[in-house]
């Protein structure tokens, strides 16, 4: 109407949001709190605050309870947050305050023998160690030209791996297995028997009851004395599972930088990838390969490449378990891990059901650095073992149904004679430790002597 001032119909929250943006633009570094505007699944959307990717925020509900969250994405003026704890009690318009920090944890020599969660909090009820330093979980990237080459073997105490799939200091190996074929037991054996000075175990996304069992029954007091366990079980938020893997790797880096020989065991890389998939899909990233967004395949090498040798003499030898769902070795995560790792140990369900433990499928397993860390005689014996074993497996069906006629093929006859002893060589008790020297002696003795039992 003429003579009447025009009214501003802009919603009040938009006016406040514009004011906050102006304050941020005029005062760099000023922390401006925003509001929680939406929640879909586990993803929180906040408006009115500005924070970079990876920044920590506090979400405060009307009751004053604080929930930690991390910025995982943004779209225009909206921030996407992923909580690292329980979200019970959150309401619309809860306050969102950027803290200005990133994910950090206290790390030091006193972590040996301790159990932590993905955020670095101690789960064992004991007081925190006295001397620690606060470090970022991100770690540092090693110049590839500054990495020391892998030239020394690492004794893991398992005869089949020492003799036929020798592991070098600084090597990254995959442990490919379906559910229930003994991967946790094999990890526990290596933890107790390895000659590495420090063992870091990351239990990522596994069943919660297995954490206590792994510590008490598989690790035991002997293994726990020089180990650090980071546990982020399946019921932890996906962000906490990602942080658990990053924390375990960061702890291993700390001891490596101090010149120690570290064995990093992560169970499992698949659960790590699934946690990233949950986050990526929640913020709108499109799936690419069987439901996995591209960011999953970018994160795996970033995590794995942090292991290895450095320039001061320390090393991280890493084993990453990869779950092959339905025993499918062509699973996208298994295929990506096989390409980036320095070898893989495959556990066979058929062998486990036949009572062979550890159920290592020698034909399907390989160590890519074994030629660089083994002597000529060792390589010759290992190749002969695999040739005889493979010959028998190729003719297994004919032999079992009685269709093979003895004398038809000298190589098959030899394989029939050797096979029972080859299978016995691959078997090892859970409490039996076999050093590298004893493994090589047993391999030499096995292939030099002629079997007495003729076939099966």
């Amino acid at each position: 109407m003429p003579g009447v001032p025009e009214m501003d119909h802009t919603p009040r929250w938009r006016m406040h949001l514009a004011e906050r943006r102006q304050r941020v633009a005029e005062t760099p570094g000023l922390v401006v709190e925003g509001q929680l505007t939406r929640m879909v699944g586990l993803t929180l959307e906040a408006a009115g605050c500005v924070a970079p990717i990876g920044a920590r925020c506090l979400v405060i509900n009307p009751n004053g309870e604080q929930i930690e969250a991390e910025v995982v994405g943004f779209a225009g003026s909206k921030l996407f947050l992923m909580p690292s704890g329980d979200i019970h009690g959150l309401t619309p318009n809860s306050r969102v305050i950027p803290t200005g920090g990133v994910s950090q944890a206290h790390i030091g020599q006193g972590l040996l023998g301790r159990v932590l969660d993905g955020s670095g909090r101690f789960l064992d009820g004991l007081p925190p160690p006295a001397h620690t330093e606060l470090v970022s979980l991100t770690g540092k990237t090693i110049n590839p030209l500054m990495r020391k080459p892998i030239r020394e073997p690492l004794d893991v105490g398992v005869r089949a791996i020492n003799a036929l799939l020798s592991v070098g200091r600084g090597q990254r190996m995959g442990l490919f297995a379906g559910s229930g074929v003994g991967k946790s037991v094999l990890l526990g054996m290596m933890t107790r028997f390895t000659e590495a000075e420090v063992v870091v175990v990351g239990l990522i996304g596994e069943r919660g009851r297995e954490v206590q069992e792994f510590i008490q029954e598989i690790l035991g007091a002997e293994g726990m004395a020089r180990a650090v366990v980071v546990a982020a079980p399946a019921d932890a938020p996906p962000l906490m599972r990602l942080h658990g893997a990053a924390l375990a790797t960061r702890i291993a880096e700390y001891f490596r930088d101090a010149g120690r020989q570290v064995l990093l065991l992560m169970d499992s890389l698949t659960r790590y990838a699934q946690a990233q998939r949950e986050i990526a899909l929640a913020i709108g990233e499109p799936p690419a390969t069987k439901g996995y967004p591209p960011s999953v395949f970018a994160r795996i090498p970033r995590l794995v490449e942090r292991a290895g040798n450095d320039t001061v003499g320390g090393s991280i030898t890493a084993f990453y378990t990869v779950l092959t769902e339905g025993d499918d070795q062509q699973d996208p995560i298994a295929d990506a891990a096989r390409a980036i790792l320095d070898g893989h140990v495959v556990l066979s369900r058929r062998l486990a059901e036949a009572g062979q433990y550890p159920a290592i499928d020698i034909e399907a397993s390989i160590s890519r650095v074994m030629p660089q860390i083994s002597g000529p005689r060792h390589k010759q014996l290992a190749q002969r073992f695999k040739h005889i074993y493979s010959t028998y497996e190729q003719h297994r069906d004919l032999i079992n149904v009685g269709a093979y006629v003895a004398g038809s093929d000298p190589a098959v006859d030899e394989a029939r004679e050797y096979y029972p002893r080859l299978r016995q060589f691959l078997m090892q008790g859970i409490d039996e430790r076999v050093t590298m020297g004893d493994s090589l002696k047993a391999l030499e003795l096995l292939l030099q002597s002629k079997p007495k039992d003729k076939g099966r």
Side-chain angles (χ1 to χ4, degrees), residues 50-381:
V50 177
I53 296 293
R56 305 290 289 176
C57 296
L58 291 179
V59 183
I60 305 176
N61 64 22
N63 296 329
E65 298 176 350
Q66 297 182 356
I67 298 172
E68 290 188 355
E70 182 176 307
V71 180
V72 295
F74 58 84
S77 60
K78 295 185 298 184
L79 290 182
F80 298 136
L81 309 175
M82 188 63 64
S84 58
D86 187 11
I87 58 176
H88 183 74
L90 281 184
T91 63
N93 300 322
S94 294
R95 298 165 59 197
V96 179
I97 304 176
T99 65
V102 296
S103 299
Q104 296 177 312
H106 289 272
I107 294 178
Q109 181 70 27
L111 292 183
L112 292 177
R114 304 300 300 271
V115 183
L116 303 83
D117 68 3
S119 64
R121 291 188 292 261
F122 294 96
L123 299 176
D124 49 18
L126 301 176
H131 304 290
T132 58
E133 56 182 281
L134 190 61
V135 300
S136 169
L137 298 185
T138 305
K140 61 180 181 180
T141 302
I142 300 179
N143 185 332
L145 297 181
M146 301 300 291
R147 288 182 182 268
K148 294 178 58 179
I150 301 173
R151 293 293 182 266
E152 299 180 24
L154 177 72
D155 187 349
V156 296
V158 178
R159 180 170 49 236
I161 297 178
N162 281 342
L164 306 173
L165 304 167
S166 301
V167 177
R169 296 181 186 272
Q171 184 175 358
R172 290 86 47 89
M173 290 283 284
L175 187 59
F176 291 70
S179 57
V181 294
K183 68 179 186 307
S184 296
V185 175
L186 181 57
L187 289 179
M189 292 172 64
M190 290 191 288
T191 303
R192 296 196 312 273
F193 301 153
T194 182
E195 64 177 5
E197 301 170 88
V198 177
V199 179
V200 181
V201 181
L203 302 177
I204 311 301
E206 297 301 314
R207 291 180 287 271
R209 68 168 182 83
E210 291 184 340
V211 176
Q212 183 83 326
E213 292 179 1
F214 187 87
I215 294 172
Q216 293 187 350
E217 300 178 12
I218 298 179
L219 270 181
E222 177 188 356
M224 196 63 198
R226 56 172 174 168
V228 183
V229 177
V230 178
D235 60 344
L239 185 64
M240 189 64 70
R241 282 175 263 152
L242 289 184
H243 285 177
L247 178 58
T249 305
R250 189 66 185 88
I251 293 172
E253 289 175 330
Y254 169 84
F255 286 104
R256 178 190 62 187
D257 294 344
R260 311 287 289 275
Q261 307 301 322
V262 182
L263 178 63
L264 172 63
L265 306 175
M266 190 168 296
D267 185 15
S268 68
L269 192 64
T270 304
R271 302 302 186 205
Y272 173 83
Q274 290 173 348
Q276 173 59 23
R277 177 176 64 179
E278 292 178 40
I279 294 175
L281 293 178
I283 63 176
E285 186 179 351
T289 306
K290 292 188 177 180
Y292 287 96
S295 62
V296 172
F297 303 99
R299 271 190 175 267
I300 290 177
R302 265 191 290 174
L303 179 74
V304 170
E305 283 295 322
R306 290 168 61 182
N309 293 334
D310 65 2
T311 59
V312 298
S315 68
I316 300 176
T317 307
F319 278 82
Y320 300 92
T321 67
V322 180
L323 299 176
T324 52
E325 300 191 15
D327 297 324
D328 180 15
Q329 297 295 327
Q330 305 308 316
D331 175 82
I333 301 304
D335 197 46
R338 190 182 297 109
I340 196 66
L341 295 172
D342 302 322
H344 49 272
V345 177
V346 178
L347 300 186
S348 165
R349 185 173 302 278
R350 176 180 64 82
L351 296 177
E353 292 173 347
Q356 177 179 319
Y357 288 99
I360 298 176
D361 186 346
I362 292 299
E363 288 185 291
S365 305
I366 189 173
S367 172
R368 293 178 179 170
V369 305
M370 185 174 175
Q372 286 77 42
I373 62 175
S374 304
R377 181 59 177 167
H378 182 185
K379 288 184 285 189
Q380 179 185 6
L381 292 172

Side-chain angles (χ1 to χ4, degrees), residues 1-7:
M1 295 178 60
V4 178
E6 183 178 353
M7 298 182 63

Side-chain angles (χ1 to χ4, degrees), residues 18-35:
E19 292 174 1
R20 290 191 182 101
R21 288 177 180 166
Q22 184 66 25
R23 291 174 62 193
V24 170
E26 295 176 350
T27 312
L30 177 66
V31 176
V32 181
E33 71 176 61
Q35 289 184 333

